[in-house]
Structure formats: structure tokens, C-alpha cells
Amino acid sequence: MSEATASNAPTHFVTSTVLDFADCQWHVRRPKPYVLVIQGEVGKEATAPGDYLHSKLLLPEWREAFYQLVDATGLVVCLNVHTQHFTYRDVRGRSSKGRLSQGEYYHHDGCSGPVKPRCVEIRCPIQPQTRGVATAVAPHHDVVKAMVQVLPAELAAMPALATQDMSPKFLNLMDEAALDILQGLITRTVRKNLNAEGARAYFRQVDAAANAYFEPWALGESRFIANANSGLTLQHRRAYQAPHTGGVANGHLVKRWPNEELLLPGQVVDPVLIAALCSEEGDEGDDGGFGGGEHSEER
């Protein structure tokens, strides 16, 4: 891999470069320090979209190296991919005008269980209808700091939060588990004290303060989000950039947990783990397990 790989990626980002990976060269850009966008293979710009994910990047001999790229980068975006691989499932969960669904809060996949997927791939298939709702993605630590930064004073004074040390110095010392606990307290407080559009407006402020990535979805785009790993852990959420009025046609998303579902020869899927992860994507309960956010995305 070239210098564009995440293990030795520069702290600043560049607008365009070339990535050497899987015995190929790829046009890439880095719109944010934690984002690598793969635009396509060098020399094949004029060809129709193909399934380079499965024919090259995720071949068994390159798969672990690709996952390590996601681990260390945070978010790897693959554009112009045409695939109908059998491992994808429809993303579940819907929003209403009167109440946020779980997917509108920042979350890790698998946040309520003992085992979280290493990464999650969310994909916008090539389809007749474009995707009009954004998916915001940002580093976990930056999300929680932003949630504190833009939290209204009257919510910070609520009993659940008034005794919490939310100073920048203390936040910088928090590990992932402590961040999850504080994030859950803030999310519950916002959910219970703001109406739907007030909560959406709050999270739009969080998006901006966390320097979140929420470029519009392109048809044929896959986003590999580092979800639980030894490198940079990110969170994501469905992000309405305007009041949610409903009744607007919208392209659907699919997803999978590649490390747990796209298996190497000889590996066997863990049906109990997959069933547990899928069960999180149903309708939310009243209290919902908001430690580290929620678990669903909109269809």
C-alpha cells in the first residue's frame, strides 16, 4: 500500500492521490482526516461500474489488509460499485415526524451486546430512486465532545447530567466505555426533553461541531465504518438536514457486517451473534438501551 494507507496516513488530508492496493492503483481523495474515498481504479475511468469490492478489494488474500485500512482510517468510502452480493440485507428502522427513530442518534452497531462488529458496511445500491437523507459519520470521541459542547444549559442542569464532569479535560481522559455511558445519559436527556424537530436540530449542531462526514449518498456507494476495533472507532446516524415532513420518495440502503459475515474459506458464521445484531434493528423500546446511541438506519 502507498502512503495513502491509514497506518501511516498524514495528519493533514489531500484532495486527490493514488492508493496502491490489491495489486492495483486506485484514485482516492481524503475529504477529512478520518475519511478515505476510493473513486475507482486508475485507467478504468470510462468503464461502467463493476463489482471491484468483491473481485479485488475483498478477495480472501486482501480482505484482512482492507479491514486494517478501515480500522486505522475510520471511514473508507467506495464509489461506483455495482454489486448484488447475497450477504447484504435491507436496513431496518423508520422515522416519524413526531419521534426520532433509533437510527437518528449517533451509535455503534451492536452497542447493547457484549460483542460489537469490527466494522459495518452501509451501502446505497444502484436503483431508480436517489437517496435524499444523509448519514453522518464521525469519530466517537469527537461526537461525545460535540454533544457536550452544544448541549443547551437547561439540559446540562437536568438531574441525570448535573453531577457529571463534562469538562474538556475530563472528556479527553475518557475511554470508550466511559464515553458510552456519558453519551447514553445525554441522548436520553435530549430525547425526553426536546420534541422531534428540536432533537434533530440539536444533532445537526452536533454534526457540525464534530466535523462529521455527511456527503450526499451516491448510487453504487459503500461506506465501511470502523465500529469496534483497535484503531479509530466511529459512530454514525441518519441525519435529516431539514425538518422531517415525510411523504418524500427516498432510495433505500442495505448493510452487512463484513468481518463477521463475509467469511474466509473454512470459517463459519456465528448465527447467535448475527441474530443478536439483527434484533437490535427493530423498533425501539421506551428506554431503548441508549448507551452509545442506537442501532437502526432508515430504509
Side-chain angles (χ1 to χ4, degrees):
M1 287 183 277
S2 74
E3 67 175 1
T5 59
S7 59
N8 59 352
T11 54
H12 62 285
F13 58 91
V14 295
T15 55
S16 64
T17 186
V18 172
L19 168 69
D20 293 310
F21 187 85
D23 290 332
C24 299
Q25 290 190 316
W26 307 90
H27 287 296
V28 298
R29 60 186 178 90
R30 294 190 68 95
K32 294 182 183 293
Y34 59 88
V35 182
L36 178 70
V37 178
I38 299 175
Q39 300 176 125
E41 188 175 351
V42 174
K44 296 190 176 181
E45 295 84 355
T47 60
D51 191 2
Y52 67 78
L53 266 183
H54 299 96
S55 67
K56 295 189 176 180
L57 297 181
L58 291 174
L59 285 175
E61 60 266 35
W62 295 106
R63 196 171 300 165
E64 176 58 28
F66 184 76
Y67 294 159
Q68 290 178 11
L69 178 63
V70 176
D71 286 344
T73 304
L75 171 62
V76 175
V77 178
C78 297
L79 300 179
N80 299 313
V81 176
H82 188 24
T83 182
Q84 295 178 322
H85 200 273
F86 68 94
T87 53
Y88 294 107
R89 68 177 61 81
D90 282 341
V91 168
R92 298 167 60 186
R94 296 180 181 272
S95 295
S96 69
K97 291 179 286 185
R99 183 176 184 179
L100 276 68
S101 77
Q102 296 176 352
E104 292 186 69
Y105 302 103
Y106 273 103
H107 64 281
H108 306 290
D109 270 28
C111 69
S112 68
V115 179
K116 298 180 180 66
R118 180 176 180 178
C119 67
V120 56
E121 178 191 356
I122 303 176
R123 172 166 178 76
C124 185
I126 294 175
Q127 57 192 298
Q129 180 63 52
T130 59
R131 175 74 178 178
V133 179
T135 298
V137 186
H140 186 202
H141 213 133
D142 293 346
V143 167
V144 179
K145 288 195 291 186
M147 290 176 70
V148 170
Q149 178 184 333
V150 304
L151 188 67
E154 61 272 20
L155 297 189
M158 292 284 176
L161 296 175
T163 59
Q164 300 295 316
D165 187 345
M166 297 188 290
S167 65
K169 179 179 179 180
F170 191 73
L171 289 175
N172 286 333
L173 297 175
M174 283 186 170
D175 60 15
E176 293 285 333
L179 288 171
D180 277 342
I181 292 171
L182 177 59
Q183 184 176 30
L185 292 172
I186 296 173
T187 300
R188 277 191 291 271
T189 301
V190 168
R191 175 177 178 263
K192 292 179 178 180
N193 291 280
L194 297 180
N195 63 25
E197 285 310 311
R200 290 184 176 115
Y202 166 75
F203 278 104
R204 283 194 286 271
Q205 291 182 288
V206 173
D207 295 340
N211 191 30
Y213 179 88
F214 52 84
E215 289 192 10
W217 280 97
L219 298 180
E221 173 183 357
S222 279
R223 298 181 184 181
F224 290 83
I225 304 168
N227 185 68
N229 49 56
S230 58
L232 181 63
T233 296
L234 271 63
Q235 291 188 318
H236 59 283
R237 77 176 195 93
R238 181 171 65 259
Y240 291 96
Q241 297 305 301
H244 177 43
T245 57
V248 179
N250 197 38
H252 75 283
L253 300 177
V254 296
K255 71 182 291 186
R256 64 182 174 184
W257 301 289
N259 186 63
E260 289 73 26
E261 296 186 278
L262 189 63
L263 301 181
L264 296 171
Q267 292 181 325
V268 179
V269 68
D270 182 345
V272 175
L273 173 61
I274 300 305
L277 295 174
C278 288
S279 71
E280 289 191 342
E281 298 183 331
D283 294 334
E284 62 181 318
D286 183 60
D287 199 31
F290 283 81
E294 293 310 284
H295 325 283
S296 64
E297 271 280 353
E298 183 185 53
R299 290 162 67 94

